[in-house]
Amino acid sequence: MIPAASSPSFDATANGAGRPSDSSSATNAAPSTDRAASSLVDASSALSTDPADLNPLASAAATDSAIAALSEHLRPTPLQFCQRLSDLTGANVFLKREDLQPVRSYKVRGAYNVIRQLTSEERAAGVITASAGNHAQGVAWSCALLGVFGQIFVPETTPRQKRRRITAIGGDWVELVVTGDTYDAAAAAAKATAERTGRTFVPAFDDHRTIAGQGTIGPEIIAQLADQGAASPDLLVIPVGGGGLLAGLGSWMSVHQPQCGLVGVEPAGAASMLAALAAGGPITVASVDSFVDGAAVRRAGDLTYQLIEQLGFSDGQQPAFAVNCEPAAVGDSGPLTASDTSGPRTATTSDTGPDSSSTVMPPLTVSPGDRLLMTAPEGQVCSEMLDLYQTEGVIAEPAGALAAAVLRQGSVNSTVQPAPGATVVLIVSGGNNDISRYNEVIDRSLIHEGRKHYFLVSFTQEPGQLRRFLDQILGPDDDIVLFEYIKKSNRESGPALVGIELSDPGDYRQLLARAEATPIDVTPISPQSDFFRYLV
């Protein structure tokens, strides 16, 4: 909720749309009548493109104005009850299936909302955008629908499946340019080309029109809950990359449903919005883990940060979160380190499983009106991707599973515990997942859960050593999933690379104890090592 004591209330009249009101009688309460909602729609016509005029009420008004235009071409996505997560949490959990959009992602909302508002001259000149894949498909769809040429820049990390979809959706109306290893690198190249050619740049998140388009998910959720006879939402969990969805949906919900708790979830390896909140403004993080490619952003948006800060979002994992905020050259890679040994929990972006040094934090509880940000480790996201597929039949991409991942009770790292019986809505933001990635998804999940480990095992060059390893070290329910060894006759011993999958993560310490009791040299491979990352 927008704190009344520290933030100005908002004037929803047409003449003062989106501007702070100094009147002590003004209130942050959501309009509850059709006439109040209508005033917000009328107010949107007075919106300025000046960032100084952007605030939650102005953004909500712009969202209300966009609803009718988007509904002409985009049907509401389903809101589905999730029995598995409801049973797990004791709440009533719903999945907002944005993965069922024509482009399998919510990004089409913001992209279309920008392009539809271009002048005829701007449409004739064409558009340019940069995207990790999903926004690109939204732009391609909008270009084909509106007959506008678009040049689309994507980073080299964009899965091939997404690249093919972009060209298939846009057809002759789009040209695909692959450059850079992150979204930010692709965006820099796209903006330079836009300046040179005079085409309009369509931002993936940092534009008031994009933000307003993403916010149109909010009215659909409220209407669909009512249609299903469910209560208004007590908690809404939203994935976060550059912040467009959180800013737009958060603004609309804070105006119309201020009592609803909001939780934004970033990948642990790309927590740029949390870094911005810690620094007091957007900064470029030194490196990101690009696995959650739909949300791997080095720098949060200026406008999105402005709205998220005004909405009163704070770090739900304090005091444990700290991030490397040193400026870095675009193109660096590697996991983003986030740790703080001064707090009750040591948090890292590496998925080390239950036997890591990380101290488990109690689940995060969310009170009415709370505005919180948190992270989900990539391995935890992978576990949820697999459960969504195996139980609900939902093929979610990593970013699409971010919100649901934090409801995994008993998880090692980040979890949210809803109140019993609460109405919870999770945004499944996208389903553009390359099927070839599932081996990595399974690996990351098993490692995060502490069920898969890799070792260097030194065997002496004599018969029976492998049998001794199997009989004396390996447990009865353990499984060898990798074994690489080359015998060299001129050496007394030689190392083998061994991967072991445990049926129970709790057996790991016993396995190490059995290894210590034998003359066989068994060395665990650290998940933080480059060698480990090579294996996974």
Side-chain angles (χ1 to χ4, degrees):
M1 182 179 293
I2 304 169
S6 59
S7 299
S9 54
F10 296 100
D11 181 359
T13 65
N15 292 331
R19 298 185 181 277
S21 169
D22 294 327
S23 171
S24 59
S25 62
T27 177
N28 291 328
S32 58
T33 68
D34 292 340
R35 184 168 60 184
S38 177
S39 71
L40 285 172
V41 176
D42 295 337
S44 67
S45 63
L47 288 178
S48 167
T49 58
D50 186 345
D53 292 330
L54 185 63
N55 57 49
L57 183 62
S59 182
T63 291
D64 285 325
S65 291
I67 294 170
L70 267 66
S71 64
E72 292 179 6
H73 301 287
L74 294 172
R75 296 180 179 178
T77 54
L79 183 71
Q80 298 175 346
F81 182 74
C82 182
Q83 190 68 57
R84 171 179 61 90
L85 291 174
S86 297
D87 291 342
L88 196 63
T89 62
N92 298 308
V93 180
F94 294 83
L95 305 177
K96 180 57 172 168
R97 298 290 306 279
E98 288 296 293
D99 59 304
L100 296 180
Q101 287 282 7
V103 299
R104 301 178 190 164
S105 165
Y106 75 95
K107 288 283 192 176
V108 68
R109 296 174 183 266
Y112 177 73
N113 196 45
V114 172
I115 298 175
R116 76 177 180 87
Q117 297 182 61
L118 298 181
T119 66
S120 57
E121 291 79 11
E122 289 171 329
R123 292 191 184 193
V127 299
I128 286 181
T129 196
S131 169
N134 288 339
H135 175 66
Q137 293 182 43
V139 170
W141 183 87
S142 302
C143 285
L145 178 69
L146 298 172
V148 177
F149 175 76
Q151 197 173 25
I152 298 175
F153 288 66
V154 298
E156 295 168 357
T157 54
T158 303
R160 286 188 297 273
Q161 181 266 351
K162 288 186 179 181
R163 300 185 198 181
R164 289 193 295 266
R165 284 278 294 169
I166 292 167
T167 54
I169 292 168
D172 293 337
W173 288 105
V174 300
E175 175 190 351
L176 187 67
V177 180
V178 181
T179 183
D181 65 347
T182 64
Y183 163 79
D184 302 84
K191 290 176 181 177
T193 304
E195 291 179 4
R196 187 176 68 252
T197 61
R199 294 180 181 134
T200 299
F201 184 78
V202 182
F205 48 83
D206 209 26
D207 184 278
H208 68 94
R209 297 162 297 181
T210 306
I211 293 169
Q214 319 303 29
T216 58
I217 295 175
E220 288 184 16
I221 290 173
I222 301 306
Q224 289 169 322
L225 285 172
D227 289 344
Q228 297 183 38
S232 296
D234 300 296
L235 173 62
L236 180 58
V237 187
I238 306 166
V240 181
L245 180 59
L246 183 63
L249 187 50
S251 293
W252 193 91
M253 292 295 294
S254 292
V255 169
H256 293 273
Q257 298 281 324
Q259 80 290 345
C260 179
L262 302 178
V263 172
V265 185
E266 293 187 282
S272 60
M273 189 59 73
L274 273 169
L277 287 179
I283 56 173
T284 300
V285 296
S287 57
V288 299
D289 184 337
S290 61
F291 176 76
V292 185
D293 53 292
V297 176
R298 286 182 184 274
R299 188 180 191 278
D302 293 309
L303 297 182
T304 58
Y305 168 78
Q306 178 178 324
L307 283 170
I308 289 167
E309 191 273 335
Q310 288 178 7
L311 288 167
F313 274 88
S314 62
D315 184 353
Q317 295 169 314
Q318 286 283 13
F321 185 86
V323 64
N324 181 359
C325 300
E326 294 295 325
V330 174
D332 288 353
S333 59
L336 171 70
T337 301
S339 62
D340 179 1
T341 56
S342 65
R345 166 187 169 192
T346 300
T348 73
T349 60
S350 300
D351 294 306
T352 57
D355 292 295
S356 71
S357 62
S358 296
T359 303
V360 180
M361 280 281 283
L364 178 68
T365 57
V366 184
S367 300
D370 276 355
R371 304 290 182 261
L372 301 172
L373 272 175
M374 64 187 303
T375 61
E378 281 72 6
Q380 186 170 321
V381 173
C382 290
S383 295
E384 182 57 28
M385 287 176 67
L386 295 173
D387 278 352
L388 283 169
Y389 175 70
Q390 293 168 349
T391 306
E392 283 78 35
V394 175
I395 303 175
E397 62 184 270
L402 264 176
V406 298
L407 259 67
R408 299 185 64 82
Q409 305 304 298
S411 182
V412 180
N413 299 98
S414 307
T415 58
V416 171
Q417 176 58 64
T423 299
V424 180
V425 178
L426 312 175
I427 308 298
V428 182
S429 59
N432 286 301
N433 197 35
D434 192 334
I435 195 68
S436 66
R437 302 182 74 190
Y438 267 96
N439 284 337
E440 181 184 3
V441 170
I442 294 170
D443 260 9
R444 283 179 176 259
S445 171
L446 290 172
I447 292 165
H448 175 75
E449 293 174 0
R451 295 175 55 201
K452 192 170 188 177
H453 303 268
Y454 291 96
F455 306 87
L456 286 177
V457 182
S458 182
F459 290 106
T460 57
Q461 300 277 21
E462 61 183 63
Q465 289 301 296
L466 178 58
R467 173 57 60 187
R468 173 179 289 179
F469 177 82
L470 296 175
D471 291 345
Q472 299 182 14
I473 297 179
L474 205 66
D477 297 320
D478 300 340
D479 188 20
I480 293 179
V481 294
L482 175 68
F483 191 91
E484 295 184 5
Y485 173 74
I486 299 177
K487 183 176 181 179
K488 296 183 178 180
S489 58
N490 62 337
R491 296 183 182 178
E492 293 184 357
S493 63
L497 175 61
V498 182
I500 298 176
E501 184 176 325
L502 308 176
S503 60
D504 183 350
D507 293 340
Y508 181 62
R509 296 189 187 279
Q510 288 88 338
L511 184 146
L512 293 180
R514 291 193 297 270
E516 284 288 328
T518 72
I520 300 175
D521 184 9
V522 178
T523 304
I525 299 176
S526 169
Q528 284 82 22
S529 69
D530 290 335
F531 186 34
F532 191 93
R533 286 192 286 272
Y534 167 77
L535 292 171
V536 177

